[in-house]
């Protein structure tokens, strides 16, 4: 199939381009490079020996998006493009709602106009709010604590309504848990601008000596060791989940959790990183981070049963590959 990948130069998008190319699909990337570098596309070529077609466009721009649909007979869209920093979304709600919601509207509208029936959307486990764990796809969504999370819940509702009105359009809503790690080659991975917000990139930068020490946000949660528990998923497994979801799309809206089903605490992750890479990660315990919840992980049965997809890589693989990528930076 010929797949339009928005945000394909970004962290998850670039790994998904690799997975798509390796599965024999053709890939067109639309990215405005607001949070990525064009070099990612060369790295994709180095890994796969295949080229992607690239458009440097803003996917909220209707005419630019439609010109891509005019130029190519597209079979499906995977929509990664968006802003993702939770804290920043509280400071800049307009830009988050605009970028993340308008892009979904513009792309789905172009799909209807050009008869493209497959749409895969990057959602997040954040839409479950503080539900009971494990999170199951059938749960009612709870309000999130920030505009970023709301853009994901809104985009899910918009796409669901579009399918109701256009039954030949089919959508997969993929709720990612905590993507970490990097491609085995060390060529592509997560390279956040400035000081990282998320745990794994912070850990790799501390290990490299770029940052002094990790601050562990709270050790008084009701979890086995008191630190926050998350379901970390290797980005390569996550990318393969997209290929599986794309192949499965026929009609209607399908929601899938993409996680491992296994919870790992902050301290467990630090110790796994130290063991996997034989390097120390200095840390101190500090107060809880506002807005954090104690623990969440996925119920993964639906993706396994319906997509035949299951994460294969473990936390040690995630730590090794994240470190390999960081050392290449
Ligand atoms: P990323 O920032 O690395 O990639 C997003 C890409 O989209 C970047 O290359 C950026 O330049 C591009 N982009 C942003 N706005 C654009 C626009 N208007 N037009 C064209 N390109 C645009 O982020 P990522 O981690 O790869 O995340 C991909 C998607 O997955 C996002 O929608 C994110 O919200 C979602 N998601 C990410 C995580 C995570 O932890 N990384 C978790 C859950 C969901
Ligand atoms: C983040 C996003 C969330 C998104 C999820 C999945 C935030 C606030 N939330 O959540 O919207 O759905 O990723 O990608 O960014 N931690 C530390 N020290 C640090 C950084 C993190 O102790 O320097 C702890 C956190 O308290 C948490 C765990 O590590 O317990 C994971 O944190 P993080 O990587 O930021 O992800 P989430 O909080 O799960």
């Amino acid at each position: 199939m010929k797949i339009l990948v928005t945000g394909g130069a970004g962290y998850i998008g670039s790994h998904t381009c690799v997975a798509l190319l390796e599965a024999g699909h053709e890939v067109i990337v639309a990215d405005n490079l607001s949070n990525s570098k064009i070099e990612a596309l060369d790295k994709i070529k180095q890994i796969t020996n295949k080229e992607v077609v690239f458009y440097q466009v803003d996917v909220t721009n209707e005419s630019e998006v439609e010109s891509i649909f005019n130029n190519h007979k597209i079979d499906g869209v995977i929509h990664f493009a968006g802003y993702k920093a939770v804290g920043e979304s509280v400071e800049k709600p307009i830009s988050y709602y605009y970028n993340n919601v308008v892009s979904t509207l513009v792309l789905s509208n172009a799909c209807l106009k050009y008869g493209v029936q497959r749409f895969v959307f990057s959602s997040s486990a954040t839409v479950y709010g503080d539900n009971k764990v494990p999170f199951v796809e059938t749960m009612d969504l709870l309000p999130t604590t920030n505009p970023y999370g709301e853009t994901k819940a809104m985009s899910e509702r918009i796409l669901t309504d579009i399918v109701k009105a256009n039954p030949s359009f089919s959508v997969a809503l993929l709720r990612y848990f905590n993507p970490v790690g990097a491609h085995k080659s060390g060529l592509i991975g997560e390279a956040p601008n400035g000081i990282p917000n998320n745990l794994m990139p912070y850990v790799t930068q501390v290990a490299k000596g770029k940052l002094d020490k990790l601050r562990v946000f709270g050790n008084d949660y009701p979890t086995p060791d008191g630190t926050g528990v998350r379901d970390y998923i290797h980005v390569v497994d996550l990318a393969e989940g997209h290929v599986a979801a794309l192949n499965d799309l026929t009609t209607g809206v399908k929601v899938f959790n993409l996680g491992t089903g296994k919870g790992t605490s902050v301290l467990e992750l630090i110790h796994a990183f130290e063991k996997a890479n034989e390097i120390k990660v200095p840390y101190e315990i500090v107060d809880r981070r506002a807005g954090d919840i104690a623990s969440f992980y996925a119920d993964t049965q639906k993706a396994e049963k319906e997509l035949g997809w299951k994460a294969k890589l473990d936390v040690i693989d995630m730590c090794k590959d994240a470190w390999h990528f960081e050392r290449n930076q």
Side-chain angles (χ1 to χ4, degrees):
M1 288 191 273
K2 193 172 274 190
I3 308 301
L4 174 63
V5 181
T6 78
Y11 173 46
I12 305 171
S14 57
H15 289 82
T16 304
C17 288
V18 169
L20 288 166
L21 292 166
E22 285 176 343
H25 298 290
E26 287 175 59
V27 173
I28 300 161
V29 167
D31 198 304
N32 63 1
L33 304 179
S34 58
N35 196 36
S36 53
K37 298 202 176 79
I38 184 94
E39 287 76 29
L41 304 178
D42 296 329
K43 306 280 171 64
I44 293 169
K45 189 177 172 201
Q46 271 178 261
I47 294 168
T48 60
N49 227 354
K50 292 179 182 170
E51 300 252 10
V52 302
V53 176
F54 176 58
Y55 287 87
Q56 185 168 351
V57 299
D58 187 317
V59 295
T60 62
N61 183 315
E62 196 166 0
S63 61
E64 288 186 357
V65 165
E66 290 197 5
S67 74
I68 303 175
F69 283 74
N70 252 319
N71 292 347
H72 304 272
K73 173 84 197 72
I74 291 167
D75 299 298
V77 173
I78 307 184
H79 179 30
F80 292 105
Y83 296 150
K84 63 166 181 177
V86 172
E88 188 183 61
S89 78
V90 178
E91 314 287 318
K92 300 179 179 169
I94 296 179
S95 98
Y96 271 70
Y97 281 112
Y98 190 87
N99 200 37
N100 292 6
V101 178
V102 173
S103 59
T104 302
L105 289 170
V106 165
L107 286 158
S108 50
N109 192 40
C111 284
L112 296 185
K113 206 160 155 185
Y114 288 83
V116 178
Q117 292 175 352
R118 295 181 184 85
F119 196 98
V120 177
F121 177 67
S122 297
S123 189
S124 165
T126 198
V127 299
Y128 289 108
D130 203 356
N131 254 299
K132 226 179 117 231
V133 291
F135 293 164
V136 189
E137 289 89 342
T138 48
M139 279 173 164
D140 285 337
L141 303 188
L142 296 179
T144 64
T145 52
N146 56 78
Y148 166 74
E150 292 306 301
T151 68
K152 293 297 175 191
M154 260 178 210
S155 289
E156 286 202 6
R157 286 197 297 274
I158 289 168
L159 290 164
T160 304
D161 287 341
I162 294 173
V163 171
K164 275 188 205 149
N166 301 275
S168 63
F169 189 49
S170 61
V171 171
L173 304 173
L174 304 184
R175 296 179 181 155
Y176 312 156
F177 282 68
N178 288 54
V180 295
H183 191 265
K184 269 254 154 300
S185 61
L187 290 171
I188 52 173
E190 187 173 19
N193 291 327
I195 296 181
N197 293 309
N198 299 114
L199 181 61
M200 185 66 97
Y202 209 106
V203 166
T204 60
Q205 293 200 14
V206 169
K208 205 175 183 187
K210 277 198 215 167
L211 296 167
D212 220 27
K213 60 183 157 194
L214 174 74
R215 288 170 307 138
V216 175
F217 297 138
N219 67 348
D220 56 352
Y221 283 107
T223 59
D225 65 21
T227 65
V229 167
R230 296 292 183 269
D231 183 344
Y232 298 96
I233 173 167
H234 197 296
V235 66
V236 169
D237 276 330
L238 186 70
E240 283 166 7
H242 290 72
V243 180
L246 191 69
N247 289 336
D248 168 76
L249 274 180
T250 44
T251 52
V253 178
K254 288 199 179 175
V255 185
F256 294 105
N257 287 338
L258 297 185
T260 65
K262 189 179 174 304
T264 303
S265 75
V266 178
L267 292 181
E268 282 172 336
L269 189 109
I270 295 171
H271 296 139
F273 189 93
E274 292 183 330
K275 184 172 159 215
N277 300 311
E278 295 176 353
I279 190 162
K280 273 284 178 220
V281 179
Y283 68 87
E284 63 175 336
I285 309 287
V286 300
D287 286 346
R288 291 179 179 195
R289 178 172 69 179
D292 272 354
I293 58 180
S295 171
F296 65 86
Y297 49 92
D299 181 311
T300 58
Q301 290 178 60
K302 190 176 176 202
E304 201 174 333
K305 203 163 135 226
E306 295 186 24
L307 300 179
W309 170 90
K310 192 176 186 294
K312 297 187 208 89
L313 300 167
D314 64 16
V315 172
I316 294 287
D317 299 310
M318 300 177 209
C319 292
K320 280 187 178 159
D321 294 338
W323 180 230
H324 184 201
F325 176 73
E326 180 65 48
R327 273 182 311 166
N328 278 355
Q329 295 309 293

